Amino acid sequence: MPAIGRRQLIAAIALLVPSFARAQVPGMSGAAGPMPWRKIPSVTVVWFDDEERVRIVREAVAYWNRLFAEIGTPFRLGPVGYAAGLIPADQLTAISQQVLGGTRPDLPANIEQVAGDIVVALSDGDFISFGMRWPPRQKALVAIKSNVRYPLGLGNVERNVVAHELGHAIGLRHNSDPAMLMCGRPAPCRPDVFAGGTERFFPLTEQEKAALRAMYPSGWPAR
């Protein structure tokens, strides 16, 4: 990408995605990382005994791909694979605490070794679900807590938590609107706002859609 084009892209995203400049630090971790993917990222679900949870991940990926088509960006999430197993709950808890504390954990070796660019670790542990990226390594981790723990056991919550954390893996940060998918800390919205008797995904803001078009424009990926 020409230098002026890259500066314009960074400026556009900086207006739409808070703390964009900070997220440019190589190896930046945490709940966002709005550096664009350089390829279609494949998705691997790591879990061991519940096809229903894997189905929810597939539906969340399909939701994002429909949205990308609707907003006119060529970016997509790639095929969803499956790896039977379990990432240790204490490891995911420790990473969650680091992410929430604003520190930058290194990419764990066992996560790096999982096939797939976005690793979705479904867990039986009790921690705050998170999504984070290691952009220079083209790797992301989405970790979802046990669905028998509050509030994931409520109707419609887990599907939106998965979609929300995938949003971070794609490159979006939190907003403060509880009616929107990416609402989150430091705003007071929490996952229980997704609860309901109807299966549906919450929407994105127009600013987030514009940010995605800026990160993944018609010429993406740049050669």
Side-chain angles (χ1 to χ4, degrees):
M1 178 181 296
I4 184 66
R6 185 173 187 276
R7 287 197 296 270
Q8 290 170 337
L9 172 61
I10 291 174
I13 301 175
L15 292 172
L16 297 166
V17 187
S19 303
F20 176 72
R22 184 170 64 88
Q24 294 307 293
V25 177
M28 176 65 189
S29 63
M35 293 177 66
W37 285 88
R38 300 191 299 271
K39 62 178 180 178
I40 298 290
S42 61
V43 179
T44 298
V45 181
V46 182
W47 187 228
F48 66 95
D49 71 350
D50 189 344
E51 178 59 31
E52 175 64 15
R53 297 192 78 186
V54 178
R55 179 182 69 83
I56 286 173
V57 176
R58 294 183 187 278
E59 291 180 356
V61 168
Y63 162 79
W64 277 107
N65 285 340
R66 287 194 303 272
L67 188 145
F68 295 138
E70 290 169 3
I71 67 176
T73 171
F75 182 74
R76 298 290 187 273
L77 294 176
V80 179
Y82 176 76
L86 199 64
I87 305 298
D90 57 350
Q91 180 185 29
L92 296 177
T93 299
I95 297 174
S96 174
Q97 291 170 347
Q98 289 178 292
V99 170
L100 292 172
T103 58
R104 303 191 301 177
D106 293 332
L107 173 60
N110 61 325
I111 303 298
E112 186 170 25
Q113 291 167 3
V114 176
D117 304 307
I118 300 176
V119 177
V120 180
L122 302 177
S123 181
D124 58 358
D126 187 14
F127 53 85
I128 295 176
S129 301
F130 63 89
M132 60 177 297
R133 282 180 59 197
W134 293 267
R137 310 287 279 277
Q138 290 289 282
K139 198 80 171 183
L141 171 63
V142 167
I144 307 298
K145 67 184 284 183
S146 169
N147 64 349
V148 302
R149 302 279 188 171
Y150 178 86
L152 266 66
L154 300 175
N156 199 51
V157 171
E158 186 175 23
R159 69 194 324 99
N160 279 281
V161 170
V162 172
H164 174 102
E165 303 305 345
L166 283 172
H168 291 318
I170 291 161
L172 293 176
R173 298 184 75 90
H174 284 148
N175 65 52
S176 59
D177 187 339
M180 296 293 161
L181 179 68
M182 297 307 298
C183 188
R185 302 169 193 272
C189 17
R190 295 294 179 263
D192 55 4
V193 302
F194 296 139
T198 301
E199 292 186 354
R200 72 182 184 95
F201 288 102
F202 277 50
L204 297 189
T205 66
E206 291 304 315
Q207 291 84 359
E208 287 162 345
K209 293 176 183 178
L212 289 172
R213 283 190 290 263
M215 281 189 284
Y216 303 107
S218 58
W220 179 91
R223 299 301 182 188

